Amino acid sequence: MLDAAALLEKHRAKGVLIDTNLLVLFLVGTVNRQRILNFKRTSDFTTADYDLLVLLINRFGRLIATPHVLSQASDLTDLSGNELATIREAFKVLVEQAEESYDSSRVLVADPVFRRLGLADAAIARVCSRGVIVLTNDLDLYLALQERDIDSLNFNHLRPLAWETLL
């Protein structure tokens, strides 16, 4: 596998598929950076993580999504009050700008990743097998993709590095 900097360059013009947890971080941070620290689904992240994620998304230029990841992210961004309306609008804009790629569920349940990791991760594996890179913080998904020699970036590996200089 290539190192992270080489993967960033290799996939720069192709876009990136952002896994669910990071997509939730992106949406919550877009609505209210300070909310990252005390929202149940993003409390393991920091505002610096959000900044790094934004830099990475900008580096790739376009987002690729699966309906499964989008559905999960929509369900997991259950803010309240005015923030709920704001995050729904941010989600709408994201969906309108993203390139959606998918396979039928019948195809996905036949993929070995489905048995181990479920439908959403099987969808990610299938899309990434067509030359799309995923950015994830899910170690099990990352390892499953590595086993298949599919390009992937583990966000947790990037967090401690000074990536701003590479971007």
Side-chain angles (χ1 to χ4, degrees):
M1 274 283 128
L2 299 172
D3 67 17
L7 286 172
L8 287 168
E9 191 56 37
K10 176 182 176 184
H11 291 275
R12 185 176 197 168
K14 298 177 188 176
V16 63
L17 195 157
I18 305 294
D19 196 8
T20 303
N21 291 333
L22 296 174
L23 195 54
V24 170
L25 170 63
F26 177 73
L27 290 164
V28 171
T30 298
V31 169
N32 180 352
R33 288 170 47 87
Q34 299 313 310
R35 195 77 158 90
I36 292 167
L37 304 174
N38 59 23
F39 181 59
K40 60 188 171 193
R41 313 248 193 254
T42 57
S43 61
D44 290 341
F45 295 105
T46 67
T47 56
D49 292 331
Y50 170 76
D51 294 338
L52 174 60
L53 180 58
V54 170
L55 284 170
L56 289 166
I57 290 170
N58 289 337
R59 172 69 182 240
F60 286 106
R62 69 184 175 122
L63 287 177
I64 298 164
T66 72
H68 307 87
V69 168
L70 291 173
S71 179
Q72 286 181 328
S74 175
D75 291 347
L76 295 175
T77 52
D78 55 344
L79 296 173
S80 58
N82 292 337
E83 286 182 326
L84 179 61
T86 305
I87 206 161
R88 292 291 187 249
E89 184 59 30
F91 183 80
K92 178 181 178 289
V93 169
L94 181 139
V95 168
E96 291 170 346
Q97 294 175 350
E99 177 183 317
E100 199 166 351
S101 183
Y102 59 90
D103 295 278
S104 73
S105 295
R106 181 173 296 170
V107 169
L108 298 177
V109 297
D111 190 298
V113 171
F114 168 74
R115 289 191 192 281
R116 289 177 40 209
L117 304 176
L119 194 63
D121 286 351
I124 291 169
R126 294 282 301 178
V127 170
C128 292
S129 71
R130 297 190 288 267
V132 173
I133 193 166
V134 66
L135 179 61
T136 184
N137 71 329
D138 180 338
L139 181 61
D140 292 331
L141 175 61
Y142 175 76
L143 293 174
L145 295 174
Q146 294 293 299
E147 287 172 10
R148 290 183 174 191
D149 204 28
I150 295 174
D151 289 345
S152 56
L153 289 169
N154 186 325
F155 189 75
N156 292 322
H157 296 164
L158 304 178
R159 289 166 92 179
L161 305 173
W163 284 96
E164 294 83 0
T165 59
L166 296 174
L167 305 171

